[in-house]
Amino acid sequence: MDRVRRPAAGGTVRGILGTGATMNNWLLAATAVGAISLYLMLPHGRRRMSQFGALLGVLALGGGFVELGLWLSHGPLAAAVAPAGIFFYVFAAIALASAVGVVCHPRPIYCALYFVLVTLSVAALLILLLAEFMAVVLIVIYAGAILVTYVFVIMLASPGGGIPAADYDRVSADPLLAVLVSFVFLGMILQRLFGGPMDGFMLARAPLASGHAAAAGSFAGLAALGANLYAHYALPLELAGILLTISLVGAVMISRKHEPVVRILGAADVPAE
Amino acid sequence: MNSLAQPILLEYLALGAALFAIGLVGFLARRNLILIFLSTELMFQGIIINLIAFSCYYQNTAGQSFVIFVLSIAAAEAALALGLVVLLFRRRRTLNVDAWSDLRG
């Protein structure tokens, strides 16, 4: 498999990174470096710092991935699992980097475009997880519908081209507090995932896909999804439809201009402005 | 086939958590109304990865069914929230959240 492996230092690497506890510390260190880099990259109005932050972020991401791959191939789980292939790491890196772009870019329209990139790479990851239908649905709904709404609203409610980004976009609110809260949260989750007892729950069942693998290439997975949806979640599905309709009506009611009803009804008679 | 068919649950859970955390940073730190809601969509992406990873892990489709509900909630939220954003923008001609801090009471 394609991942970083250094045969010369194999023994030492195994010694340093092999056990679960140290692995945990290394991953937490990568998380902390990522937190610092995100703090530096959040809009401050200072360009040099965000470049330095981006460098740190690349280091943290690469270090975290190398660490994860090494741990999975040499750690206590090495006998039971194989690390995900190169595709996982590539798409995860794209997803995380463009997520940082969404959060940090001072221009909202670029944030929306970065979010499209996140959606596309998440869809690729869903394909790796053998959920092809959900991947397509994600692209159609997120990149196709929701993001178009966002872009329209950004277009409607932005100062316009040529003008430098607004003040509130160039300076973020509470970068230190936000980064602290989020990354302590992330550190807690990673601690639980990688530092907890390695019971059967956290072990990957060897090739996860085997149940679906026979059905790959046909629509059997989609048929199973439909059967599950309508056998167990028929009422929630209907409620979701009703919710969508209500929110559509509500959105129209909220955002329309409050003009006299007569004028709206008689719009055909009034010449267009 | 070899590199495609061996997803490991832990890695996907870690990635989902990381996406969620980055979205949380955006939600807390940005001051633009639109970007705050865009950050929640980022958090939804992390949750979707988690649900699909568990769906693949347990080899049933319940996780995928949940993702359909998550998507419909996300769509409803985007429509309503952006309608509200347009309304608020018309009132104050700005997207700055701090413009509405007098709502604190």
Side-chain angles (χ1 to χ4, degrees):
Chain A
M1 305 264 287
D2 324 60
R3 68 180 138 10
V4 179
R5 194 197 283 267
R6 295 197 189 85
T12 345
V13 164
R14 199 176 303 223
I16 295 174
L17 307 174
T19 64
T22 43
M23 145 70 191
N24 202 23
N25 294 342
W26 278 89
L27 202 61
L28 286 184
T31 310
V33 177
I36 296 171
S37 78
L38 193 54
Y39 172 71
L40 291 178
M41 270 191 285
L42 276 173
H44 290 283
R46 275 168 295 186
R47 195 176 169 75
R48 294 287 297 275
M49 277 177 69
S50 52
Q51 285 172 349
F52 180 62
L55 191 66
L56 267 186
V58 170
L59 281 181
L61 199 62
F65 279 176
V66 167
E67 172 57 31
L68 204 58
L70 281 176
W71 179 70
L72 283 172
S73 53
H74 295 305
L77 299 184
V81 302
I86 187 78
F87 290 112
F88 171 81
Y89 289 106
V90 168
F91 286 117
I94 295 175
L96 288 177
S98 34
V100 171
V102 172
V103 170
C104 294
H105 205 283
R107 287 196 176 267
I109 188 72
Y110 285 100
C111 297
L113 294 180
Y114 275 124
F115 187 78
V116 174
L117 210 51
V118 175
T119 310
L120 290 181
S121 44
V122 168
L125 289 170
L126 296 197
I127 289 177
L128 289 186
L129 286 170
L130 298 172
E132 303 90 357
F133 176 67
M134 294 325 287
V136 175
V137 162
L138 199 71
I139 291 178
V140 169
I141 292 184
Y142 259 105
I146 295 182
L147 250 294
V148 168
T149 322
Y150 272 95
V151 170
F152 263 115
V153 172
I154 290 173
M155 212 170 65
L156 275 178
S158 277
I163 303 170
D167 261 355
Y168 50 85
D169 277 333
R170 272 189 286 121
V171 181
S172 46
D174 271 329
L176 187 61
L177 207 60
V179 167
L180 210 61
V181 168
S182 312
F183 276 78
V184 167
F185 177 72
L186 175 62
M188 265 167 51
I189 293 180
L190 291 180
Q191 171 86 20
R192 182 67 195 89
L193 282 182
F194 293 93
M198 292 299 170
D199 48 7
F201 176 69
M202 284 308 166
L203 280 176
R205 285 176 192 168
L208 293 186
S210 63
H212 295 283
S218 74
F219 284 102
L222 186 53
L225 172 64
N228 179 274
L229 205 55
Y230 280 97
H232 300 288
Y233 305 105
L235 183 63
L237 194 66
E238 301 297 328
L239 288 179
I242 293 174
L243 180 76
L244 274 178
T245 314
I246 292 175
S247 67
L248 181 69
V249 175
V252 171
M253 282 306 292
I254 286 173
S255 59
R256 93 189 155 88
K257 282 188 178 139
H258 289 281
E259 294 169 352
V261 180
V262 180
R263 179 151 172 231
I264 291 173
L265 290 179
D269 305 326
V270 180
E273 294 169 3
Chain B
M1 189 62 196
N2 204 11
S3 58
L4 268 180
Q6 292 182 326
I8 303 302
L9 182 64
L10 274 176
E11 295 178 323
Y12 285 91
L13 294 188
L15 175 65
L19 276 182
F20 191 89
I22 293 177
L24 192 58
V25 170
F27 186 79
L28 294 173
R30 293 311 292 259
R31 290 159 71 199
N32 187 325
L33 279 170
I34 297 175
L35 291 184
I36 287 177
F37 287 111
L38 200 61
S39 302
T40 61
E41 306 289 343
L42 208 54
M43 291 154 84
F44 276 130
Q45 299 281 327
I47 292 167
I48 285 171
I49 288 184
N50 257 20
L51 285 173
I52 298 282
F54 272 114
S55 157
C56 189
Y57 178 68
Y58 288 114
Q59 300 185 359
N60 64 23
T61 51
Q64 301 192 24
S65 308
F66 287 172
V67 170
I68 288 181
F69 294 120
V70 169
L71 282 177
S72 53
I73 298 295
E77 177 240 329
L80 275 180
L82 292 177
L84 280 172
V85 166
V86 169
L87 183 74
L88 296 178
F89 178 75
R90 262 195 220 128
R91 290 274 172 87
R92 300 262 163 110
R93 308 304 298 173
T94 177
L95 289 173
N96 192 350
V97 188
D98 298 335
W100 295 92
S101 53
D102 51 342
L103 286 182
R104 217 182 277 148

